[in-house]
Amino acid sequence: MPLIKLRGVTVDFPFTPYPCQEDYMSKVIECLQNKVNGVLESPTGTGKTLCLLCSALGWREHFKDTISARKIAERMGGAELFPDRPMSSWGTAATDGDTPTYYTDIPKIIYASRTHSQLTQVISELKNTSYRPKMCVLGSREQLCINQEVMRQESSHVKVHMCRAKVSSRSCVFYNSVDEKSTDKEIMNSILDVEDLVKTGKKQRVCPYYLSHALKQHADVIFMPYNYLLDPKSRRAHNIELKGAVVIFDEAHNVEKMCEESTSFDLTPYDLISAIEAVDRLLQEQASDISKADSAEDFNVESLNSGLKLDITTIAKIKQVLMDLESSINGFEMPANSQGITKPGSFIYELFQTAHVNSDTKTAVVEAMEQITGYLAGRPGVFLNTSGLQKVADIIQLVFGAEPPEGSKKSQMGNSMKEFKVHIHPDTSNFKKKQVTDVWASSSTKKQGNVLSYWCFSPGFSMQELLRQGVRSIILTSGTLSPLSSFTCEMQIPFPVSLENPHVIQRDQIFVSIIEKGPDGVQLSTAFDRRFVPENMSSMGNTLVNLARVVPHGLLVFFPSYPVMDKTLEFWRANGHADRIEHVKPMFVEPRSKGTFTEVIDGYYDKVNDPNSSGGSFFAVCRGKASEGLDFADTYGRGVAITGLPFPPRMDPRVVLKMQYLDEMCKNKISGVKYLSGQEWYRQQASRAVNQAIGRVIRHREDYGAIFLCDHRFTGTEARNQLPSWVRPYVKIYDGFGTMVRDAAHFFRTAQKTRPVPVRKEKEACKNQADTGPLNTGSSCPSKSVWLSDTSQKAKTLDSHIPSLKWRKLESEEHSGRDGAARLCIQYEMEMTSKRKPVSLLDALDDTTNKGGREDTMAGEERHKMRCNAECRSSCFPYNESAWGCIWKWSKRGQLIVQASRLSTLSNVTEPLIQDHNTHCLLRGLYQFIRPHHKKEFDERCLELTGEGCGYKQEHSLSREEREALGQNTAKSEMSPVNPPSEQLNSSQQLNQGGSHLVNGGDGKIGVNVRSEVQKPQTSIKEGLSCSSLLSDIKQAIGAEKTRQMFLALQAYKTSNNYEQMVSTVVSLLTERDEDIALLERLSVLIRPQHRKQFGELLKSLTGNDSVVNQNSDMGSSQLNQASQLSAGKTQSKISSFFS
């Protein structure tokens, strides 16, 4: 491992660092050497965690070495111990200013992150380094307790009290061995995360919770969630010593919120009622015991023996405290607007004084409540809700724990409470639940109660508390802290050291676009007045449908809030947008509850992992679980779409009061302290949430992805300046949606060609992965390499559609005012037709699905001429360009013959073919395009007008049911030997001669003329009729929209020969209902020979029928030549067997 010298400190790094990594480590060391605070932003994927650990531990070892150098120098009396290295070269950190430093003064490093899962990733990174410090990780009993009796309890605070009771009585066998095992060298020198600690505890039969507390005393590095540091109660419970320590907050983008919440609370009527009920139950029991006893003295002895050290008078006083507090809170009359009443922070002391709780009585009240809670929680077989009582005790500790010292209480009271507000507002939750627990029947509980809220509006309050505890340095770091200036203002402590690191990725690994308008030209916006406008929601849906087609594998979509997401998805489901997205990328929606989140995210991972799938789409909200802590590396997150700016709810009382507080602070202009204004904070909250969601993509140096900002407000300079520094250089604003689609397709095609295929690992490794992956570890959540053959194919072949971006505006567009390129992308999505001309049954199918109205870049006459040529080649009679000259003239209006549904309409458009006897043959040639129920009438009209019919036979007018029955009977019959064709087609005699040459052998049967033994058979008319019937049946069964999707899949199959991609779409559409599977069997005729056996096996797995397998597997390449020699009747028999 290379050794790097930074600011005089030698750092042992696992590999040669990048320049941005050296800069980051230098800043960390600068903070530690100068005893100052730092705020450091480095994008995910730049090895931030590894740099943080190596630089901090390298500095700590250097600090220790300087102490050793000073002690050696004292012993040597000024003589040099090493001739080649003078003592002065060891640095001056050993003196640490003017204060002599000893080994006991080496700073501990407290490494805090948001969750234990993130800490697990950090500890795994520590194992990858050469450093082996003594360490421990702190957790809760919920995570670390292995006593089954305690873990069976449902409530966490009940577990706490039961654990404490067992520890005090020495009745927990795991706790009793802690003292012995805490000095075990193997355990002390091991690097253990929470899971390892639990495994060790079970193996060694030692309590992991108390073992971690014992290891903390000698640890060099202590890992913990950062609410343990910021919450005063947790800090006391875990006995965390901060004096002289280095405090590192990783994933610090959440520190601001945690600082405020750790010193805030909401006390609901239900909390108070449940607390009163618990105390009242105990009071009734004790009163009943007294009535049975001879004297009160007997009761006191009994209660002492039972574990309760309180007399009945104290219990009654606690009940009175709770009732007085409830009466005081509910005694406020709410204003008519139901907005509540706001008081200064110091009002909380007046409120508690009405319940006789003050700085003098707080200790006794809290101890009594703790005893009652512990006693009730420890009773076997009886469950009583004591959470409300525990919450009141915690609140009293919180309120009075922050009091200033006695000597300066009066002068500092006003200043210390300026960050807080008391807000009393009506309870809007379900009150029926509370009425059930109403045991007092007091007047206050007969009406809706009030909620007492005590809110802190300055994260700096908790940060300043850490400084008062004497920490050496505070380092805040994350991948998304931008904008840094506003972040440091919120913290209210000085940050002399700051850093905004660039990313290590290249230009071809990131694509950032601001999409101002959707594909239909509608401006995109989720502003309050626009977010639920149907036109806006429809445009956003069309935008995401197109993005789902362009982005390979996984697509993440973030909404501003749950209400916006729910309402928008409801609209999309009702209007078909959701079905179109679902067809391309199955949709997974982030649930509000944590219980089902794992199931949903696993489903998304599985869908992206599925090689037969085109990926998945995950819909979530900014500030939600998916946007904060999950790692969507590689194929799990190739694109992220932000559908709007997630501003906090503007009318929420807490938001309103926060903005008012900041505006007040700005007006006061305290010297040396800078505050954000209310509006600046409001905008900053939205920007930070967007930046956090953006950080879900590009998780390491080989990753790539696209960022789509789908709101016109992102075009503003201020909004763009709030984006992370590593994103800003690549931002591009697109006026036309089509141009964006083209550029995005080019980006993904290039990236897939130039970037290495991710190595597949287990998905579990990435579920809870923090944003702490080192630069050299590559993908943590990669995909299968086979993915490049499905959805990536869509991006690679997308360029075949890009020339459509140059289409001229349609006449309707010129009058609608819509952007031509925008409308173009709707057509790109809806039509996706191939440029190849029809030459087979599958090609003829293409033309039947083409929508009218598409313009091409060629001249009008050329375009119509080409269409007619294509129609000719897809038919069974030969084509002569001069003879068809009249047809493209009268079809100039774009009315194709196959689109005529009424015979009278067709008669009108065929008039030019009747006037000249030379074109009568062409009129008779139209017979094959006539619907079955019109064929007889058309034959009679031709006979009347031209003197010659079209060879009509009665079976040509058979209904679909009759044709299928006939096909089944024919398939069962034994096939006779194939006879050679009676006559080769003579082009000089029969060219453009109409119906007679369409009859094989002169027997009157509609069939195929075979030219030679090696030539491929042309499409027979009866096969075309059967195909037409099949397409009609499919449309009737699954609807027009899904039929269009299936046609697109078949067209793509014809072009790219990608069987897997086609069959996944077709099967998904035709297996939703059991009755549609028969249609899937009939599609066998469209499957290419090399894929028919595979398709037959698929049908067998779906239907359990072997017949289709045998039919398809017998059609080899050699038998294709034999098939070309079949008589017309036998050809129809074979086709009918496919349709049966």
Side-chain angles (χ1 to χ4, degrees):
M1 291 187 178
L3 299 177
I4 305 116
K5 194 92 167 178
L6 300 170
R7 295 182 62 89
V9 175
T10 301
V11 177
D12 193 349
F13 205 63
F15 52 89
T16 303
Y18 284 78
C20 65
Q21 293 174 324
E22 289 192 7
D23 293 342
Y24 186 90
M25 289 189 284
S26 294
K27 292 292 185 180
V28 172
I29 295 172
E30 181 182 350
C31 292
L32 302 180
Q33 287 178 336
N34 298 339
K35 295 187 181 180
V36 295
N37 307 319
V39 55
L40 312 175
E41 181 187 56
S42 191
T44 300
T46 55
K48 167 173 54 69
T49 301
L50 199 61
C51 293
L52 199 55
L53 289 170
C54 290
S55 56
L57 292 173
W59 170 83
R60 193 177 185 279
E61 286 195 357
H62 180 77
F63 192 97
K64 186 177 180 179
D65 290 342
T66 56
I67 297 176
S68 301
R70 181 180 63 82
K71 291 185 177 296
I72 293 173
E74 290 176 353
R75 296 287 182 90
M76 296 291 291
E80 293 291 348
L81 179 62
F82 304 104
D84 58 338
R85 185 173 182 183
M87 284 294 171
S88 58
S89 67
W90 290 91
T92 58
T95 60
D96 206 21
D98 297 328
T99 307
T101 305
Y102 303 95
Y103 287 119
T104 54
D105 296 326
I106 299 175
K108 289 181 181 290
I109 297 174
I110 298 177
Y111 195 111
S113 192
R114 191 169 64 90
T115 64
H116 274 103
S117 61
Q118 290 172 339
L119 288 174
T120 298
Q121 295 299 319
V122 175
I123 293 171
S124 70
E125 290 297 333
L126 178 60
K127 295 176 181 178
N128 293 330
T129 71
S130 62
Y131 295 101
R132 289 296 177 268
K134 294 180 180 178
M135 56 81 63
C136 77
V137 56
L138 300 182
S140 64
R141 289 177 175 85
E142 194 84 29
Q143 296 155 316
L144 296 176
C145 181
I146 58 176
N147 188 307
Q148 294 302 312
E149 185 180 354
V150 175
M151 292 309 296
R152 278 196 294 268
Q153 307 305 314
E154 294 184 6
S155 175
S156 59
H157 75 272
V158 172
K159 292 177 183 176
V160 170
H161 286 287
M162 182 175 285
C163 174
R164 288 175 180 171
K166 288 185 174 294
V167 167
S168 61
S169 61
R170 306 286 295 184
S171 59
C172 177
V173 295
F174 302 106
Y175 172 77
N176 294 340
S177 59
V178 166
D179 292 340
E180 174 189 352
K181 297 295 183 181
S182 63
T183 56
D184 185 291
K185 294 295 184 184
E186 181 180 355
I187 295 177
M188 290 181 68
N189 296 325
S190 298
I191 297 180
L192 307 174
D193 58 22
V194 170
E195 187 177 345
D196 298 330
L197 202 55
V198 171
K199 287 180 181 178
T200 300
K202 290 178 178 179
K203 181 180 179 181
Q204 304 277 0
R205 293 187 62 78
V206 58
C207 174
Y209 178 79
Y210 284 101
L211 177 63
S212 66
H213 282 68
L215 294 175
K216 174 172 66 68
Q217 304 303 320
H218 305 287
D220 302 327
V221 184
I222 306 171
F223 296 93
M224 67 185 76
Y226 48 57
N227 64 301
Y228 285 25
L229 273 178
L230 300 173
D231 187 349
K233 181 193 171 188
S234 295
R235 202 161 56 231
R236 289 192 297 269
H238 291 93
N239 193 25
I240 298 172
E241 178 59 47
L242 293 174
K243 185 174 179 59
V246 173
V247 177
I248 297 172
F249 288 97
D250 197 4
E251 303 304 319
H253 53 271
N254 279 314
V255 165
E256 171 196 353
K257 181 180 178 182
M258 188 63 69
C259 285
E260 293 182 350
E261 290 185 349
S262 65
T263 50
S264 303
F265 66 80
D266 293 291
L267 184 63
T268 67
Y270 178 67
D271 295 328
L272 282 170
I273 291 173
S274 63
I276 291 171
E277 181 188 19
V279 177
D280 184 58
R281 180 76 63 84
L282 179 61
L283 199 58
Q284 290 176 359
E285 290 178 4
Q286 299 299 330
S288 175
D289 290 343
I290 288 179
S291 65
K292 294 177 183 178
D294 295 333
S295 63
E297 287 77 14
D298 294 333
F299 164 70
N300 286 333
V301 173
E302 183 182 347
S303 63
L304 182 63
N305 293 335
S306 67
L308 186 66
K309 302 177 182 179
L310 300 174
D311 57 22
I312 194 169
T313 306
T314 304
I315 299 173
K317 287 180 179 179
I318 296 300
K319 171 188 168 182
Q320 190 62 49
V321 166
L322 295 171
M323 292 181 66
D324 290 344
L325 185 59
E326 182 193 37
S327 299
S328 298
I329 295 172
N330 291 338
F332 289 93
E333 290 296 330
M334 293 294 105
N337 59 8
S338 299
Q339 291 297 311
I341 299 172
T342 303
K343 300 282 187 179
S346 57
F347 180 75
I348 195 73
Y349 297 112
E350 298 178 26
L351 195 62
F352 275 101
Q353 183 62 51
T354 61
H356 309 288
V357 179
N358 51 45
S359 57
D360 297 326
T361 61
K362 62 174 183 179
T363 304
V365 171
V366 170
E367 287 180 355
M369 289 181 176
E370 293 274 7
Q371 279 203 48
I372 295 172
T373 303
Y375 173 73
L376 295 175
R379 293 192 305 178
V382 179
F383 175 76
L384 188 62
N385 186 3
T386 56
S387 59
L389 186 61
Q390 183 66 53
K391 185 173 181 178
V392 174
D394 292 342
I395 284 172
I396 293 174
Q397 284 184 300
L398 174 65
V399 169
F400 291 95
E403 275 193 309
E406 284 292 327
S408 57
K409 182 183 298 184
K410 296 295 182 182
S411 61
Q412 294 187 10
M413 181 68 73
N415 291 333
S416 63
M417 290 290 104
K418 70 181 186 296
E419 297 93 352
F420 295 85
K421 296 288 183 185
V422 176
H423 187 69
I424 301 170
H425 51 101
D427 183 25
T428 57
S429 60
N430 187 2
F431 199 69
K432 292 179 180 179
K433 184 179 179 182
K434 305 178 182 65
Q435 290 177 333
V436 173
T437 61
D438 183 8
V439 296
W440 297 97
S442 62
S443 60
S444 62
T445 58
K446 291 178 183 177
K447 64 179 182 179
Q448 189 177 29
N450 295 331
V451 178
L452 171 65
S453 295
Y454 181 67
W455 292 329
C456 176
F457 293 118
S458 174
F461 182 83
S462 295
M463 286 292 160
Q464 290 165 357
E465 179 63 26
L466 294 182
L467 291 182
R468 283 194 289 270
Q469 297 284 331
V471 299
R472 179 187 181 96
S473 297
I474 297 175
I475 297 176
L476 304 179
T477 184
S478 178
T480 50
L481 292 177
S482 296
L484 282 188
S485 57
S486 60
F487 182 81
T488 55
C489 284
E490 281 281 271
M491 292 297 107
Q492 292 297 300
I493 60 174
F495 287 98
V497 179
S498 65
L499 174 68
E500 285 185 89
N501 238 352
H503 215 301
V504 292
I505 59 173
Q506 304 299 317
R507 177 67 186 87
D508 64 342
Q509 291 175 259
I510 182 172
F511 177 84
V512 188
S513 64
I514 297 177
I515 306 175
E516 190 173 359
K517 294 179 181 179
D520 48 6
V522 176
Q523 190 178 63
L524 299 178
S525 175
T526 53
F528 183 78
D529 58 339
R530 288 273 302 161
R531 55 185 179 175
F532 297 140
V533 175
E535 185 184 32
N536 183 71
M537 291 191 288
S538 177
S539 183
M540 186 69 74
N542 289 332
T543 299
L544 291 175
V545 171
N546 280 282
L547 294 182
R549 296 186 182 281
V550 174
V551 177
H553 309 305
L555 173 65
L556 310 175
V557 182
F558 288 101
F559 290 85
S561 64
Y562 279 111
V564 174
M565 180 173 74
D566 294 342
K567 188 81 172 179
T568 305
L569 291 178
E570 179 184 348
F571 177 86
W572 289 350
R573 292 186 184 105
N575 292 274
H577 299 87
D579 290 338
R580 289 153 58 197
I581 298 173
E582 185 81 25
H583 170 68
V584 184
K585 294 189 185 299
M587 298 169 60
F588 297 85
V589 181
E590 178 183 37
R592 295 188 187 225
S593 61
K594 294 182 179 179
T596 57
F597 182 86
T598 302
E599 180 181 347
V600 174
I601 198 68
D602 283 350
Y604 171 73
Y605 288 150
D606 291 340
K607 182 57 66 175
V608 175
N609 283 337
D610 185 1
N612 297 322
S613 164
S614 58
S617 55
F618 192 85
F619 292 78
V621 297
C622 295
R623 303 186 186 90
K625 185 175 177 64
S627 71
E628 291 288 340
L630 287 190
D631 181 17
F632 294 96
D634 296 310
T635 50
Y636 291 119
R638 283 297 181 219
V640 56
I642 309 296
T643 63
L645 286 165
F647 290 105
R650 188 64 179 82
M651 301 311 295
D652 183 271
R654 194 163 185 173
V655 174
V656 172
L657 291 174
K658 169 78 174 184
M659 296 175 69
Q660 289 177 358
Y661 162 76
L662 291 173
D663 288 337
E664 290 173 9
M665 293 296 103
C666 287
K667 290 178 182 177
N668 294 339
K669 292 184 179 179
I670 302 173
S671 61
V673 181
K674 182 182 178 182
Y675 285 91
L676 295 173
S677 68
Q679 279 298 327
E680 288 173 338
W681 172 84
Y682 190 68
R683 290 191 295 267
Q684 171 223 357
Q685 291 299 299
S687 299
R688 190 157 296 145
V690 167
N691 294 346
Q692 191 61 26
I694 286 174
R696 296 310 94 203
V697 296
I698 311 183
R699 309 293 295 178
H700 56 86
R701 65 189 174 99
E702 294 296 343
D703 203 355
Y704 62 89
I707 300 166
F708 305 98
L709 304 175
C710 306
D711 194 309
H712 75 97
R713 292 174 291 177
F714 282 110
T715 58
T717 304
E718 184 176 0
R720 282 183 283 129
N721 289 339
Q722 303 290 313
L723 295 172
S725 59
W726 62 275
V727 172
R728 290 197 291 268
Y730 307 111
V731 175
K732 186 174 181 180
I733 302 174
Y734 285 91
D735 296 329
F737 189 84
T739 310
M740 185 280 300
V741 169
R742 182 190 63 202
D743 290 354
H746 176 74
F747 163 77
F748 281 115
R749 187 184 66 255
T750 303
Q752 287 171 338
K753 289 179 179 177
T754 58
R755 291 291 148 191
V757 179
V759 181
R760 184 173 182 263
K761 295 181 183 178
E762 293 299 326
K763 68 180 181 185
E764 286 78 7
C766 72
K767 288 182 185 175
N768 297 316
Q769 185 163 8
D771 302 346
T772 52
L775 190 64
N776 65 328
T777 57
S779 169
S780 54
C781 302
S783 64
K784 297 181 180 179
S785 60
V786 73
W787 286 348
L788 288 179
S789 66
D790 45 55
T791 48
S792 58
Q793 183 70 22
K794 184 176 297 181
K796 289 180 180 178
T797 60
L798 189 58
D799 277 3
S800 64
H801 305 287
I802 295 306
S804 65
L805 300 176
K806 301 176 183 178
W807 291 349
R808 299 181 305 184
K809 289 190 176 183
L810 302 178
E811 293 179 5
S812 58
E813 290 176 320
E814 294 173 357
H815 298 291
S816 66
R818 287 183 176 176
D819 177 44
R823 179 174 177 89
L824 202 40
C825 273
I826 295 182
Q827 294 177 350
Y828 153 70
E829 177 211 334
M830 298 293 292
E831 296 178 4
M832 283 187 75
T833 55
S834 174
K835 292 181 177 180
R836 292 170 56 189
K837 307 305 179 290
V839 292
S840 67
L841 177 60
L842 197 57
D843 295 294
L845 171 66
D846 289 0
D847 259 22
T848 65
T849 64
N850 277 336
K851 306 292 186 295
R854 168 177 148 172
E855 292 286 327
D856 209 313
T857 55
M858 63 182 68
E861 292 189 356
E862 266 188 281
R863 179 171 58 255
H864 285 286
K865 192 171 181 179
M866 189 185 72
R867 286 181 176 173
C868 292
N869 296 354
E871 287 298 322
C872 244
R873 285 195 298 272
S874 66
S875 65
C876 295
F877 52 90
Y879 159 71
N880 182 289
E881 183 170 334
S882 61
W884 277 89
C886 61
I887 293 184
W888 58 260
K889 291 181 180 178
W890 61 259
S891 65
K892 220 169 186 180
R893 297 187 300 266
Q895 298 174 335
L896 296 178
I897 295 171
V898 293
Q899 292 177 334
S901 60
R902 293 179 299 178
L903 192 61
S904 59
T905 305
L906 185 59
S907 299
N908 294 333
V909 300
T910 55
E911 184 179 354
L913 299 178
I914 302 172
Q915 297 173 357
D916 186 355
H917 72 277
N918 292 323
T919 59
H920 288 176
C921 61
L922 299 180
L923 177 63
R924 291 190 293 272
L926 298 179
Y927 177 85
Q928 61 183 311
F929 297 106
I930 304 302
R931 299 178 187 273
H933 54 282
H934 290 147
K935 283 188 180 293
K936 182 178 180 182
E937 184 180 355
F938 186 86
D939 179 77
E940 293 171 350
R941 295 290 298 275
C942 284
L943 183 62
E944 176 186 348
L945 295 172
T946 68
E948 185 177 355
C950 303
Y952 169 81
K953 296 295 179 182
Q954 188 174 358
E955 59 263 33
H956 298 172
S957 298
L958 291 177
S959 65
R960 178 170 60 87
E961 292 79 7
E962 292 169 335
R963 283 201 310 275
E964 289 178 350
L966 178 63
Q968 291 174 357
N969 294 332
T970 309
K972 293 177 182 177
S973 64
E974 189 173 357
M975 186 167 293
S976 60
V978 178
N979 296 321
S982 60
E983 182 180 358
Q984 296 295 327
L985 180 64
N986 189 325
S987 59
S988 62
Q989 295 178 3
Q990 295 177 325
L991 185 63
N992 290 337
Q993 295 302 308
S996 60
H997 75 282
L998 298 174
V999 182
N1000 187 26
D1003 59 0
K1005 292 184 179 180
I1006 304 299
V1008 179
N1009 278 294
V1010 183
R1011 297 191 177 184
S1012 66
E1013 194 172 45
V1014 297
Q1015 187 173 355
K1016 292 185 178 180
Q1018 291 182 313
T1019 307
S1020 72
I1021 298 176
K1022 196 63 179 279
E1023 184 181 5
L1025 293 173
S1026 299
C1027 181
S1028 176
S1029 172
L1030 171 61
L1031 303 182
S1032 176
D1033 293 345
I1034 290 176
K1035 186 173 183 179
Q1036 182 178 358
I1038 65 176
E1041 174 63 22
K1042 291 185 178 179
T1043 302
R1044 181 189 66 80
Q1045 296 172 4
M1046 191 186 73
F1047 288 169
L1048 295 180
L1050 291 171
Q1051 290 166 355
Y1053 170 55
K1054 180 202 66 179
T1055 305
S1056 64
N1057 201 32
N1058 191 331
Y1059 169 79
E1060 295 292 341
Q1061 185 174 353
M1062 178 277 296
V1063 81
S1064 64
T1065 302
V1066 172
V1067 170
S1068 67
L1069 292 173
L1070 293 180
T1071 55
E1072 293 181 0
R1073 301 186 308 165
D1074 293 339
E1075 53 266 32
D1076 295 340
I1077 294 183
L1079 298 173
L1080 185 63
E1081 296 179 8
R1082 292 169 60 188
L1083 274 176
S1084 302
V1085 70
L1086 301 180
I1087 304 302
R1088 288 184 168 147
Q1090 66 267 32
H1091 296 141
R1092 284 182 177 172
K1093 181 177 180 181
Q1094 191 176 357
F1095 188 75
E1097 292 171 351
L1098 172 66
L1099 292 178
K1100 178 184 176 183
S1101 66
L1102 292 173
T1103 63
N1105 186 2
D1106 289 335
S1107 62
V1108 181
V1109 182
N1110 296 331
Q1111 288 172 348
N1112 291 330
S1113 60
D1114 291 340
M1115 180 62 99
S1117 59
S1118 63
Q1119 290 166 317
L1120 285 177
N1121 292 333
Q1122 297 177 14
S1124 67
Q1125 302 173 21
L1126 290 174
S1127 67
K1130 298 305 179 180
T1131 302
Q1132 179 57 38
S1133 173
K1134 190 69 176 177
I1135 295 173
S1136 299
S1137 70
F1138 277 115
F1139 285 134
S1140 61

